[in-house]
Amino acid sequence: MELRDYFVALRRHALAIVLLTLIGLGVSYGWAKLQTPVYEASASGFVKSRDVGTEADVVVAPGAEDAIAKAKVDTYLDMARWRTVAEHAAAELELTETPEQLVRRITVENPTRTAILRITAQGSSPESARDLASAWVRGLTATIDQFDGDGTEGSSPVTVILGESAVLPEAPAFPDIRTAVVIGGIIGFAAGIAFAFMRAYSDRRIRVADDVEQRLGVSVLGAIPTISGLDKHQRLLTDLDGSSKSSFAVSESLRVMRTNLQFMDVDHPPRRIVITSALPGEGKSTVAANLAAALAANGEHVVLVDGDLRRPTVARTMGLAHGAGLTDVLAGRADLADVLQRAPGMSGLLVLGAGTTPPNPSELLGSDRMKALLDQLADHATVIIDAPPLLPITDGAILTHQADGAILVIAAGSSTYDIVGKAMDAIEKVHGRVLGVVLNRVALSSSGTRYGYGYQAQPPEDEPVAKTPRPRRGARQSSGPRRAPADPADAYQADETMSIEDLLRATDSVEPSEQRPGGRGAPKR
């Protein structure tokens, strides 16, 4: 993963990071509230030598008493943790706890280079902590008199004098709610970041175009953003309101895809293009219909063929009548020119529906007649074929072998690299060619294009349509008398070629309002 991928992962899982941080704050606060509070109070004792009745002729050197007192500090530091001291403190305060329990509540410290002992006591209430600290100092003094003196009060030459009594604590030392909340928030935030990175590392779903080109080694022809208000019965995006930002972005995406396709292999441009996907529901039929419409809007002659013989959708998408179509032509029950339909409101676009549902779709699509039909259409127009998905059935791979190449539609955010890799392997096994991929349903903010650079999201102006289409490879001139074919077998082909060309030219001259299903090109009844 690159540095950019980490930032993308943090942005994509920002909500999870925030939630985990809040959970950490809440858990730490609840834990702190459930704990029994512990209060601490400290009392200080001063180690000092005192006169116990020395002889009058004994002279004590200056500072000798301080030296004797400091020499006893380490001894008294250890003595302060004895059970004897705990027993004196328990007797004074009338406590029921054992000496061992009291010792665990006491901490004794000696500041460096001093004769001071600081005793810190813990208690469940401020009063208990304060009283125990002061009583412990007095218990230590009594223990010193017992072992260094004769057992009476003040009999030891060196003793501990209570210097500073314990003060009533205002707040518990444990738990510290503020510290606990801060630590809980940090732990939750760290857990959120770790979660985001692990999800990003293990996520195999396809999201951005750069990753597709890097991992799959194929070009991304376009990234179509998600558009609101689109349902399964409205797939033709040219019918949508172009004033919204999403509609404007979709229109621009289709133009980019059309331009990339036109510049692909300029010496041998693809004329028979299969639009397919790895799995159903990724939007391949929508992309096929809109790509055909975008090419036709640029003055191209286009034939949109419904190659999904099991679940055909092209006729319904384009608003055309159902009836005879591709399967009827392949079976010899209908002429091609009779089943081609003009797309309403789109000049230069003819549609060939799926026709009657056959019992053997794979055999029909892989037949020589299918290959000849696609070649015949490609002589006059760019052929866009809506093919079935690749992994559930073999029809899509067979059509790819019959065509110049396939465009693979990928649903961003749901398709995985493993699934798309298997789909590409299926195309390679039939010696097909992947022209590129199209990311569908990309989030508008991550589609890779900044729409509205210096512009508002206005509906795009109508593109100019070429008045006279450029000559097609293999097309005959419509002017002049036609010569009879040399043999009867060629008579059908010669007349059929002229009929297809006439249909394409007719779509250039018919006004959009006149293009309705049911005119010439409607299926026979």
Side-chain angles (χ1 to χ4, degrees), residues 270-271 273 295 300-304 377 380-384 472:
R271 303 278 292 174
I273 303 171
L295 290 173
E300 298 278 346
H301 281 165
V302 183
V303 177
L304 176 60
L377 292 174
H380 306 280
T382 300
V383 184
I384 303 297
R472 303 297 175 184

Side-chain angles (χ1 to χ4, degrees), residues 38-42 105 120-134 166-169:
V38 177
Y39 295 87
E40 289 185 351
S42 298
R105 291 168 53 186
T120 303
Q122 295 180 346
S124 58
S125 65
E127 293 79 8
S128 63
R130 177 197 61 186
D131 296 342
L132 182 59
S134 299
V167 179
L168 193 69

Side-chain angles (χ1 to χ4, degrees), residues 109-131:
E109 298 175 331
N110 170 228
T112 306
R113 297 180 181 180
T114 65
I116 297 175
L117 297 179
R118 181 178 296 114
I119 297 175
T120 303
Q122 295 180 346
S124 58
S125 65
E127 293 79 8
S128 63
R130 177 197 61 186
D131 296 342

Side-chain angles (χ1 to χ4, degrees), residues 305-351:
V305 179
D306 194 345
D308 193 345
L309 305 183
R310 303 174 191 265
R311 298 179 61 182
T313 59
V314 169
R316 182 174 66 249
T317 299
M318 305 302 294
L320 301 176
H322 296 275
L326 174 63
T327 57
D328 301 282
V329 174
L330 296 178
R333 298 188 303 177
D335 295 334
L336 177 60
D338 293 332
V339 296
L340 285 172
Q341 302 185 65
R342 301 167 182 164
M346 299 180 191
S347 60
L349 177 59
L350 294 178
V351 179

Side-chain angles (χ1 to χ4, degrees), residues 254-270:
L254 292 173
R255 291 189 180 94
V256 170
M257 184 168 60
R258 178 187 65 195
T259 303
N260 291 336
L261 188 61
Q262 290 173 338
F263 281 95
M264 180 181 297
D265 196 358
V266 293
D267 293 331
H268 304 284

Side-chain angles (χ1 to χ4, degrees), residues 245 387 504:
K245 184 177 180 180
L504 290 169

